Every structure is written in structure tokens, then in C-alpha cells.
Amino acid sequence: MAHRKDKYVDHVLVRYTPKQAFKDALAAIGRFFTYSNLKHGFRSVTGGFREFFVFFFAMLLVQLLFWCPMLAMQSREATIKKEAYAAADYHVKIEGMSSSEWSLYFNDTFIITDTFEEKDRLYKSYEAKKYVNGSGREMYELKILMREDGMDQSRSFLLHYPIKGEAVAIEYSPRCTYPDEVAKVSATFVPIIIAMGLLGSLILLVLYNIRINHYKFRYGVYMSFGADFEKLFQTAAWELFSIALLTFIPSLVLGLIIQIAVTVSLGGAMAFSPALILWAVLWQLCVILLAVFPSVRILATKTPTSLIVAGDNSNYVSSPRTSFRIFRKSFPMHYELYGFWRFRRYYATLLVSAIVFSSLFLCGFFINSMVTASENTKTAEFSLIANSNEGIDPLLIEEIADLEGVQYISWENSIDATAINAYIVLNNRQRSGISSKTVKTNGGYADNNYKYSLIDDTLYSQVTREGGWQIEGDLSRVMNEPNCIAVSEYINNSRSLNFKVGDTVKLAVFEMSHGSISYEVPDNKYILSQLLSKGEFHFVTVEVAAIVDTGDNDDRYMIAMSGELFDSVVHKEINAMKADIFVSEALSHEETELLYDKIRSSIAIFDAITLDNLRSGLAHKTAQKSSATPAVFICASVFLLIAPAVWLFSQSMFGAKRKIENEMLSAFGATDADLGKLYLFSGGVLTVPATVATVVIGWGVTEFIYWLINEFLTSLGMGADFRYSYSFSIVGLLVCILVSAASAMIATYKPFAKWKKERDALLRKHLGE
Amino acid sequence: MEDRKIILKAENVIKQYKQYDTTVTAVNRANVEIYDGEMVAIIGSSGSGKSTFLHICAGLDRPNSGKIYIRGNDITAMTADELGVFRGNFMGMVFQNHNLIPQFTALENILIPTLMCNKPDHSYEEHFKKLVATLNIHDRLHHLPSELSGGQQQRVSIARALINRPQIVFADEPTGNLDRANADEVLELLIKTKEELGQTLLIVTHDMKIAERADRILVMDNGNLTPYKKKQ
């Protein structure tokens, strides 16, 4: 793009350099933040309160879009801290010290440091305990409480006073690790708050655009007397910012009341940081600047004459071509239909503007279901990881599964179909959601977007426990009958296949290839096409004995089978490399820690297996005590409330300009009943496109959100790892339709009722009543 | 006269409108030079394009082609923002229909240009008092336009056009909606302030009595601008 070289500065054409542009930008910022702008903004919105009423309402709601997630975030963070403090009274636990290691460590570290003043020590206090381990040896355990919270503090202590020993284990307590959890919460909420800011901008943009459209005359006059973009932008932004300042405290109080109510009812901790106020002001400023910029930028490019001329939108000045037709046709129907046609752009904009917010309400339902699913999803408390190809011994899994407090253990003995050149032959119904990924073959459609999983007695006993897989059919048949399989139907949270218990499918087992198969293009369909043309297979016909939902968000579906069948179709030995241990929800933190100790003792003899403490129980508890669901629901409700505000705001201003038209029609003989019919007809007609638009836009936006989260983000590796499904709430849709239709009707009829009331009052005044 | 400085120059100005499938040429290659301090009247029948031409000269509308120079600056080459600032500082506009903002009082309407150009209060206070006194609207300042007569509305409109002491005042049928007495009074006011402030006045009218008060009369006929020749 060519750089602009000349510009009128102080009405003189000058060379305009980037340096000058930078200086001008700084000067413009300086001119923006002035007391006089604030004063004019306040005067404008308080003097014209009725004109700005809808903005006060909208601003309050927009601010709630900040307060609800922000306060929910703070509450979640405070709850994490509270639970972490309740869970452990120490930062670091060192255990497994032999008596010699203990004496050495104790004498070198604690005796010495005990002589220091408290302020000079890295730790605040410690607690030492002697215990006997599984092999009957006397061991020592030391719990240290640091002076400050945080991993750094603990690590710095251990660096200062390193400890050595074969069986020594160092464990950082939740008190130490909670800042990481807090950081994760912030990382989740910050994009949400930014997204709410963008949506808040959209709300204000729509409303300000409506205002500009209805006040074109005024802006035309402003521009006739010297207003440029900067002045118009300053005026618009400060009007909205003044409103934001006036609604700031009420919205904060409302947000706090909501959050306190939610927090108290769930048992979480409440927090409010004063720094939030600064963030809120900054957020609000960004939202406002973003909202007014596009509308004002477009406005500033118009000529004052075009704005002044466009000021009048009364219907009776219908174009000369159609005017004569209006009076020959039936009144009010044809008359009003011509009006609709004449103002088609206005009505189309109004419909889209209002209904986009109803659609966001529908999306809120969907997101709410996702948040609820996320909060209710139980995740493993511990993970066993195999560090060698031998995998995890099934006997060890069984031993751990029998420990008290273990709910079930889940692991996978699986292999990708593409890794063994296998495919499955599906019929048209079964492949319903993946038809584009399958390749037509003899007897059906070939597909290789799945994995083979081995299900043995141990896994069977685990996944059939409470909280395991959801099973339709009889999973035991998979274990007991040679040609039975279990299948899952989900790919990336979408139910992509349609199996029925009792279905038969053919599994293609690769034998040899008549040419080389290229795996360079990582596309399963491409590989499958090559296999079909060059490969030789034999087929195993199997029966679907069970349909299972594992609850995982996986990019492949699963075909689970017994060891015997697995051997015959996979021809490879598979070992479990990772096993997730789920514990009972009733366990307290101390009991969970004791269980951790027990599991650690069990794996002590396996050198190549490590145990991870994921502490998801604590995270689960804090998530449930500080649920984000109310915040989502309130934000969704804000969008639903905005829709009628848009209708009423726009139609009241449009209707106000029809006063002269009403009077003219009355003068030509239209009765109040005729006019009433006209407005009722108008409102009635509007409800039809409003309903259609609600269904279409609502469905479209929800589908888009689903695609965005389920496919786009998943393709970037950012998808959720829990099961949620697409939901288009029928109740939500009915609420939206009702709100849209009622808003269209009321907003259209109200200006007429107002005009009639004012006219009657004037008449009574003239008659001296 | 030719030794004086040209303050406004129009070169081959063309303005066309699309109406359905026909094109209407409102201004057709109009040329004019107006000197500093001059009063020029443009007369013509209704629909001859004189208001359109005035709006183009005042930078309120854009021509399809041609150039307008004011104080040597080509305003047709200016961006909307540059032109806005230029208008606020150098031009004043009196509209035919007053174009007062109905929700604002007379006082607020008058002060719009000062607000749009960020003028500090002290810079216009004296001038404002003088204008209000000259235009005799001091007792109507806190009334809404709907509470003022046509003549009073036009005076408010004139005060608004003059508050920033513009160098050129454009007046579009300033007396069009007024009776004879009011029309004469408004014209006197415009001429008086023009003399006092040394302004240039470009006035569009179809009233010959008003046009005759101007230094020069131009006739707009079917979009063409020609000097007025008195019928013998």
C-alpha cells in the first residue's frame, strides 16, 4: 500500500512523515483524555438520560460480562488456596530416610538452622516422624512448612540442604503446588474474559450503530460545523465511558452479590482484589473504544449533506413510484408492506442485530453443558507409567485395584488400525457420521479410523466398576465368546458411528502387499485406498456384543476384543504402558495421601514403573466448590436480555419518526383502529422473520461454536479431554423465539400507543379537561 | 476588484445524481471566483442546482468532478476529517430549513461549532454576547427550536453559523421561510455581521430583492453558472 505523503496540518498541505504521524497520534491521545471530554460526556448522558437509557441498561449487563467470569476466577483461585491449605499443613514431605540418613540430615540441617533466628531460616517449622516400612525397616519422615508459599521456596530450601538416600522420596504438597493450579485457572479464564470483552463490544457496537442511524441528522449538523472523526469518536467514546462510570458501582455490587450467593451455596471461598477495579476500568475502556470505532469511522466518511437528508425516515414520504400504488391498495396491509420493502435494509439489520444475541444465549446453553461436563468429569488421581517396553504387569494392576479406596483402574492395550494395515467393513448405517472418510469396497465401506483394544479379565473387571465405561449390550460376551467385539462410537466428542448390538462386521487382516504402500501423507483415507488396491487380506466376521462409551475425547473410535481374537487380528504383543488409577470420591486428602503411600510401596520392587500423583481429586473438589456454571448462565442471560433492548431501542426511535405519518394518515381519514391495526400488522409480520432468523442464526452459531471447539481447536491440539456432545437446547430455542416474537410485537406497537397517549393528553389539555 | 484576494474558486464543478435509471445533472461545469469580503448572490429557479452548488462550495457535499479552492486549498482533495476541521474553522453555514437540533436549546444549538472545534469558553464569550444582542435572541436562548418562531429559528441558525467567526459564510435561502419583514431583518443582520467581521458571504436565494443587495449576482440555470444580466 502506498504511503500517504501529504496531509493538511493546520490547514496547510505538508509532507507527512511517520514521525509526524506518531506525534499526531500521541497528541490525539492527549486530546482524548481531557477533563473537558469527561465533562461533556457526563453532561450529554445525564442531560439526555432518556435518549441513553438503553445504554445504561446495556452497560450494566456488559459490565456483568466482566464481573461474573472475573469474580468466578478469583473465587476459584481462592478456593484452590483454601483447599490446598486444608489439605496439607506442610510444603515438602521427605520420607524414606534410613536412621543414618536421618541423623546426618537432621544434625546438619535442623540442629544448625534451629539456632538461627526465625527470620533467618528458610522454613517456618518442621515435623519429624519415625515409621516402619513394608519390609520392617525403621524409616523417618520429615514435613517442612516454609516461610512462604510456592515451589520456588521449597526448591531453594532443598538446594540449600540437599538430601541423599536410596529410598528417599520428596513430595511437594498442594500448599506448594497450588500456585501452578491458580496459574492454570487464570490461563483458562483470561481468554474467556477477552472473549466477553469482544462480545461486550459487539453489544455496544450494535446499539451505537442504531443510535447513529437514527441520529444521522444530528451528526450531519455536527459535521457541518467542524466535527471530524476524532471529535465524533471522542464524543461517542466519552458518552459511553461516562455511562460506564455511572453503572460501575451498581454492576460491581450486583456481580459481588451474585458471586457471594454462588460461592456460599457451593462452599467455596470468596475473594475480591482491589486491583480488579483497575482491570475493570481498563477492560471497559478497551470494550468502548472497540465498540464505537467502526460505526464512527464509517460515519465520518459520509458527507454532512447525505446525513442531513437521510435524517427523515417517515414512511409517508415513500418514493413517488410507489406512493400512488399505496393509496390504491388496501390499507393498512399493502401500505405497511410497502413500508417494509422501503426500509428493508433497516429491518434486516435490526433482525440480525437483535437475533445474534438470542443466538449467543443458545450458545450459552451449549457452553454451559460443556462446563458442567468438565466439572463433573472424574479424572485419575494417580498414574502408573511404564518406562520400559515390558509395560505394566497385570498382577500389579490387580494388586493396586484391590487396595481400599481405589475405585477402578483404566488402561489401554491398543494399537492403531493403520499401524497394522487393517481396516473394518461397515455398512451405510454404521458409517453414518464418517462417510467422507470411508472408501467403498466389496460388501460395504472400508474404514481405518479406529484402534484395536485388548480387553482382558483385569480391564473388564475395572471398566465395569462404578464410574467406568457406559455399556450397552453385554461386555462379558466379548470375554467369553470368540468372535464378539465391543465398539465405541465417538470421534472427537461427536457420535460418528451408528452400531447396534447384534450387528456383524468384517475385520480385514493384512496378509501381504503387491506393491509399496506410502505412509508419507498422514491421511488415513489415502493409506486405505492404497491398501485396498495393493493389499491382500483375509476377513474375520465378528458380532458387536456391546457398545461402550469410555468417556474419553479421542480422535479414533475403539474396537475392543478378547486376547484370543486380538492375537488373531493384530498379531502383535501389546503391553499397557500407562494405567490411570481412579479413587473413591469419599476419600479425604489425608486418606488419598495414605493410599498414595501404599501404592508407592506396591511398586517399590518394579524399577521401571513410576507413579504420578495428579491430585485431581483436590482439583475436582475445588472445581465443584467454585463452579463456573452460574457465571456462564448469567453471561448467556445477559445476551438474551440484550435482544429485547435492541428491539425496543431501535423500534422506539423508528416509531418516533412516524408521528407525522400517523397525523397525516389521521388527517386523511385513518381511524385509531386503522392505525392500531397497522402497527399490530407490522409487529405481526416482523415476528415471522424474527422466528425464522432465531432458528437459523441460533442453529448456525451453535454449530459454529461446536465446530470451533470440537474440530478446530482439537486439530490444533487444544481440545478438551472429556466427553461432551453437541447440544442445541430446544427449551433455549423456545425461550429465544418467545422473546424475539414478543419483542418484535411490543417494540413495534409501543410507539403507536405512546403517540396515541400523547395526542389524547394534548387533546384533553386543549379541551380544558 | 481583481486586485483583491480570491477566497473561493470553483473550477468545472459537476454534480450528478442517479435517480432510478436516469442521471440528473444538478451542477454542470460551474466556474466562479469569489473575492475576500465580497457578497455574492446566486439566484435561479427551484431545482436549478444552486443549493447543491452551495453545499459543494461549503464542503458539505462532494462533486463528481471539478475542484473547489478555498484560501488556496483544494477542499475536494481533502479527506473527510481534514475537511471537517477546515469547515469548522473557516466556514459558516446557514441552512434553508435552519437544521437546528430539535432536542437542543437555542443556546446549545448556537454553541455546537465551538464544541466541535474545541474552542475554549473564553475565546467566544464576548462574541457570543454580541451576536445574541445583535440577533435579539437573548430571551429565547433556553427554548427548544419547537418553541421558537421561524424568524427566531433562523436567527439562532445565523448565530450558530457565525459563532466561530468564519471567513466565509454560506447561506442557503436564509429568508426562504420568512415573511417580508423578517426576511429583511435577517438579511440586514447577515450584512451587518459580514461588514463587522470582514467576512465573505455567498448567498443562494430566489428573492431578487435580496440578491440585489449583493456585490455580484450569479444565475444558476440547469446547473450552469452565469453572471446576471439585468433585463433592459
Side-chain angles (χ1 to χ4, degrees):
Chain A
M1 204 171 80
H3 179 66
R4 173 84 192 275
K5 286 183 179 153
D6 304 317
K7 190 177 177 177
Y8 282 88
V9 176
D10 293 332
H11 322 301
V12 178
L13 198 61
V14 294
R15 193 107 184 137
Y16 201 63
T17 59
K19 193 178 166 188
Q20 181 68 38
F22 180 69
K23 270 187 184 173
D24 280 2
L26 286 182
I29 292 170
R31 286 194 296 272
F32 182 84
F33 292 102
T34 59
Y35 172 68
S36 117
N37 280 337
L38 176 68
K39 190 176 75 181
H40 287 305
F42 261 102
R43 210 182 274 170
S44 179
V45 298
T46 48
F49 180 74
R50 287 180 65 179
E51 215 177 90
F52 284 99
F53 175 74
V54 73
F55 284 97
F56 279 89
F57 174 71
M59 195 64 79
L60 193 75
L61 297 181
V62 166
Q63 285 167 336
L64 277 182
L65 292 180
F66 175 82
W67 291 124
C68 286
M70 201 53 151
L71 292 172
M73 179 180 88
Q74 292 223 324
S75 164
R76 173 75 62 93
E77 290 173 352
T79 308
I80 288 172
K81 188 175 177 181
K82 187 182 158 192
E83 292 297 320
Y85 269 60
D89 55 0
Y90 59 91
H91 286 94
V92 187
K93 185 162 85 174
I94 304 163
E95 56 182 333
M97 282 186 276
S98 64
S99 52
S100 58
E101 284 161 355
W102 165 248
S103 354
L104 198 67
Y105 193 68
F106 186 79
N107 292 336
D108 280 0
T109 305
F110 289 95
I111 293 294
I112 294 168
T113 53
D114 257 358
T115 58
F116 294 169
E117 290 288 317
E118 199 183 317
K119 65 179 171 50
D120 297 324
R121 288 184 215 144
L122 280 169
Y123 66 89
K124 200 170 180 182
S125 62
Y126 66 89
E127 185 193 327
K129 198 171 85 180
K130 189 160 72 171
Y131 68 100
V132 178
N133 75 356
S135 47
R137 280 179 69 196
E138 250 185 20
M139 306 296 270
Y140 287 84
E141 177 192 276
L142 181 66
K143 286 178 179 174
I144 307 159
L145 182 68
M146 299 293 161
R147 290 185 58 80
E148 287 168 33
D149 284 339
M151 206 69 158
D152 291 344
Q153 185 73 11
S154 309
R155 284 194 180 131
S156 135
F157 175 84
L158 290 169
L159 268 175
H160 244 79
Y161 304 107
I163 178 160
K164 285 172 190 158
E166 269 182 31
V168 167
I170 296 167
E171 188 219 324
Y172 297 100
S173 81
R175 210 177 247 241
C176 200
T177 55
Y178 86 86
D180 295 341
E181 296 301 316
V182 167
K184 274 187 214 161
V185 170
S186 304
T188 312
F189 273 87
V190 166
I192 293 171
I193 290 159
I194 292 171
M196 289 298 121
L198 293 174
L199 290 170
S201 286
L202 179 71
I203 293 174
L204 296 177
L205 186 150
V206 165
L207 292 174
Y208 212 83
N209 212 28
I210 292 171
R211 178 180 159 80
I212 283 176
N213 274 324
H214 287 289
Y215 284 97
K216 275 180 182 164
F217 169 77
R218 183 184 292 186
Y219 290 105
V221 172
Y222 285 170
M223 287 167 74
S224 298
F225 292 99
D228 58 346
F229 165 73
E230 187 186 322
K231 188 68 205 173
L232 293 171
F233 183 72
Q234 274 176 6
T235 310
W238 278 100
E239 279 170 356
L240 291 189
F241 202 57
S242 303
I243 294 172
L245 292 176
L246 289 168
T247 54
F248 192 84
I249 292 175
S251 71
L252 171 60
V253 171
L254 197 59
L256 281 170
I257 290 171
I258 292 167
Q259 194 54 40
I260 288 168
V262 171
T263 311
V264 167
S265 67
L266 296 173
M270 179 69 199
F272 178 77
S273 151
L276 261 193
I277 291 178
L278 264 177
W279 279 113
V281 172
L282 194 67
W283 180 88
Q284 189 71 68
L285 188 66
C286 295
V287 165
I288 288 171
L289 296 183
L290 206 60
V292 293
F293 183 86
S295 320
V296 176
R297 187 64 263 179
I298 293 167
L299 174 74
T301 58
K302 305 250 164 88
T303 60
T305 304
S306 67
L307 293 171
I308 290 170
V309 170
D312 178 28
N313 71 351
S314 56
N315 210 9
Y316 77 109
V317 289
S318 187
S319 72
R321 280 195 167 192
T322 53
S323 294
F324 77 97
R325 291 182 195 152
I326 287 169
F327 292 104
R328 280 168 61 192
K329 297 277 183 179
S330 68
F331 181 85
M333 203 174 94
H334 281 92
Y335 175 85
E336 194 57 12
L337 284 177
Y338 278 118
F340 272 116
W341 180 245
R342 183 167 176 245
F343 297 112
R344 57 193 179 279
R345 277 180 63 188
Y346 162 74
Y347 283 116
T349 313
L350 171 65
L351 276 172
V352 173
S353 310
I355 284 153
V356 84
F357 295 113
S358 315
S359 313
L360 289 172
F361 173 71
L362 282 174
C363 290
F365 266 80
F366 173 42
I367 293 168
N368 200 37
S369 72
M370 270 188 67
V371 171
T372 310
S374 159
E375 285 170 356
N376 292 333
T377 300
K378 197 160 180 339
T379 42
E381 186 70 23
F382 313 113
S383 261
L384 289 174
I385 316 260
N387 300 318
S388 79
N389 291 335
E390 285 174 16
I392 303 165
D393 189 335
L395 290 173
L396 173 66
I397 293 176
E398 274 179 41
E399 185 190 329
I400 294 171
D402 289 339
L403 290 174
E404 200 183 331
V406 173
Q407 195 177 14
Y408 68 98
I409 302 178
S410 168
W411 69 96
E412 261 191 18
N413 298 318
S414 62
I415 188 163
D416 262 6
T418 47
I420 53 167
N421 292 334
Y423 68 87
I424 184 172
V425 183
L426 304 170
N427 65 30
N428 205 25
R429 170 184 36 91
Q430 289 159 347
R431 62 157 198 158
S432 59
I434 54 163
S435 51
S436 64
K437 294 176 179 173
T438 58
V439 180
K440 188 146 181 41
T441 183
N442 289 338
Y445 299 89
D447 179 54
N448 61 349
N449 292 291
Y450 65 93
K451 60 187 175 186
Y452 283 123
S453 276
L454 184 149
I455 180 162
D456 57 17
D457 290 336
T458 320
L459 184 63
Y460 174 79
S461 71
Q462 295 306 307
V463 297
T464 49
R465 287 190 187 189
E466 193 193 337
W469 293 353
Q470 285 178 33
I471 302 161
E472 183 192 336
D474 185 0
L475 191 60
S476 65
R477 284 185 63 207
V478 177
M479 307 299 303
N480 304 326
E481 294 178 30
N483 283 336
C484 281
I485 58 164
V487 291
S488 69
E489 295 182 310
Y490 283 87
I491 298 178
N492 287 342
N493 283 328
S494 302
R495 193 175 176 161
S496 307
L497 292 117
N498 186 9
F499 286 109
K500 283 196 165 63
V501 174
D503 276 0
T504 52
V505 288
K506 281 197 290 185
L507 307 179
V509 182
F510 181 74
E511 286 180 350
M512 60 179 291
S513 157
H514 297 296
S516 66
I517 310 279
S518 164
Y519 297 92
E520 279 173 18
V521 180
D523 176 24
N524 286 1
K525 195 173 177 178
Y526 173 67
I527 296 168
L528 183 59
S529 301
Q530 292 181 80
L531 286 173
L532 288 172
S533 62
K534 297 175 189 171
E536 214 168 272
F537 295 87
H538 75 263
F539 293 91
V540 178
T541 304
V542 292
E543 183 191 340
V544 175
I547 297 164
V548 299
D549 182 358
T550 60
D552 294 331
N553 176 13
D554 209 338
D555 59 357
R556 298 154 301 170
Y557 60 101
M558 179 187 75
I559 295 178
M561 52 187 60
S562 64
E564 196 182 331
L565 187 59
F566 194 85
D567 287 345
S568 66
V569 296
V570 174
H571 299 307
K572 263 191 181 176
E573 196 179 317
I574 302 290
N575 292 317
M577 302 304 288
K578 182 173 175 270
D580 290 329
I581 303 167
F582 294 79
V583 302
S584 162
E585 278 194 48
L587 290 191
S588 68
H589 180 73
E590 287 76 15
E591 287 166 334
T592 311
E593 291 300 305
L594 274 175
L595 181 59
Y596 175 73
D597 291 344
K598 283 181 190 167
I599 297 171
R600 214 151 47 78
S601 300
S602 302
I603 65 162
I605 55 165
F606 296 92
D607 290 341
I609 292 176
T610 50
L611 177 67
D612 269 6
N613 190 347
L614 306 172
R615 292 210 174 88
S616 57
L618 195 62
H620 189 60
K621 201 185 281 179
T622 52
Q624 289 196 321
K625 280 190 174 179
S626 52
S627 171
T629 308
V632 175
F633 187 71
I634 288 162
C635 291
S637 307
V638 164
F639 293 118
L640 187 67
L641 287 172
I642 287 293
V646 170
W647 277 106
L648 288 166
F649 179 50
S650 190
Q651 283 292 75
S652 67
M653 284 198 284
F654 187 75
K657 288 180 183 167
R658 295 188 75 173
K659 277 182 186 174
I660 304 168
E661 183 187 353
N662 295 341
E663 275 148 20
M664 185 211 71
L665 292 172
S666 297
F668 283 119
T671 61
D672 280 1
D674 289 335
L675 292 175
K677 266 188 224 163
L678 183 147
Y679 280 90
L680 281 175
F681 174 73
S682 187
V685 169
L686 269 180
T687 58
V688 177
T691 306
V692 174
T694 303
V695 176
V696 173
I697 300 177
W699 174 78
V701 174
T702 318
E703 277 279 357
F704 173 74
I705 296 273
Y706 181 66
W707 170 85
L708 188 78
I709 296 169
N710 200 41
E711 289 184 32
F712 182 69
L713 290 182
T714 304
S715 72
L716 298 177
M718 294 157 72
D721 54 1
F722 56 88
R723 161 78 67 252
Y724 64 86
S725 25
Y726 174 73
S727 75
F728 184 67
S729 167
I730 297 298
V731 176
L733 178 70
L734 290 175
V735 170
C736 285
I737 290 176
L738 193 72
V739 169
S740 296
S743 304
M745 198 70 195
I746 294 166
T748 309
Y749 190 76
K750 201 173 163 278
F752 166 70
K754 193 182 167 198
W755 168 79
K756 196 164 161 276
K757 197 176 158 191
E758 283 172 1
R759 188 205 56 190
D760 292 347
L762 199 68
L763 270 175
R764 279 198 298 276
K765 196 177 158 192
H766 283 307
L767 291 170
E769 284 176 17
Chain B
M1 178 76 82
E2 275 67 22
D3 295 338
R4 287 162 63 189
K5 201 172 124 193
I6 294 171
I7 195 158
L8 187 153
K9 185 179 175 187
E11 271 182 10
N12 289 321
V13 174
I14 298 175
K15 180 72 183 177
Q16 293 177 321
Y17 296 104
K18 271 253 176 207
Q19 270 188 354
Y20 300 104
D21 38 9
T22 57
T23 304
V24 176
T25 305
V27 181
N28 191 6
R29 295 183 192 286
N31 290 285
V32 71
E33 286 181 352
I34 294 169
Y35 298 95
D36 196 9
E38 199 180 10
M39 175 178 170
V40 176
I42 299 175
I43 58 168
S45 53
S46 295
S48 59
K50 51 190 191 301
S51 288
T52 306
F53 180 66
L54 188 85
H55 284 150
I56 291 169
C57 289
L60 299 176
D61 207 350
R62 297 269 186 183
N64 293 94
S65 73
K67 292 192 180 302
I68 304 283
Y69 295 93
I70 292 180
R71 299 172 82 235
N73 296 304
D74 178 7
I75 65 162
T76 52
M78 288 182 181
T79 64
D81 291 345
E82 290 163 352
L83 189 53
V85 177
F86 194 87
R87 261 196 311 266
N89 286 322
F90 297 108
M91 305 186 214
M93 181 77 199
V94 181
F95 292 96
Q96 183 178 8
N97 297 326
H98 322 310
N99 284 352
L100 299 176
I101 294 174
Q103 295 88 350
F104 289 8
T105 62
L107 173 68
E108 288 164 339
N109 267 294
I110 295 169
L111 295 183
I112 285 172
T114 64
L115 198 66
M116 294 303 131
C117 297
N118 295 319
K119 304 264 179 193
D121 292 356
H122 62 83
S123 70
Y124 59 82
E125 261 170 19
E126 279 305 305
H127 183 54
F128 171 76
K129 282 178 192 163
K130 208 170 147 190
L131 267 179
V132 167
T134 311
L135 294 164
N136 196 21
I137 45 173
H138 53 276
D139 56 340
R140 312 301 289 167
L141 288 176
H142 300 289
H143 289 255
L144 290 171
S146 57
E147 296 161 352
L148 302 176
S149 70
Q152 286 168 336
Q153 285 186 33
Q154 195 59 300
R155 283 162 205 237
V156 172
S157 168
I158 292 169
R160 182 179 60 180
L162 300 177
I163 187 75
N164 275 359
R165 294 179 227 229
Q167 287 196 353
I168 313 180
V169 177
F170 298 91
D172 185 6
E173 303 269 15
T175 59
N177 296 331
L178 306 177
D179 58 36
R180 185 78 263 158
N182 261 310
D184 289 344
E185 205 178 329
V186 163
L187 184 69
E188 285 307 325
L189 288 169
L190 276 170
I191 293 171
K192 192 176 162 192
T193 47
K194 169 198 166 306
E195 299 294 330
E196 277 177 13
L197 299 171
Q199 291 162 327
T200 303
L201 182 60
L202 181 57
I203 191 164
V204 158
T205 181
H206 58 262
D207 186 342
M208 236 4 248
K209 273 191 81 175
I210 287 170
E212 277 168 354
R213 302 285 304 272
D215 301 324
R216 245 188 324 151
I217 303 174
L218 302 169
V219 182
M220 182 68 92
D221 187 19
N222 283 326
N224 289 306
L225 205 56
T226 50
Y228 173 69
K229 288 172 192 159
K230 240 183 180 174
K231 285 179 187 167
Q232 298 301 313

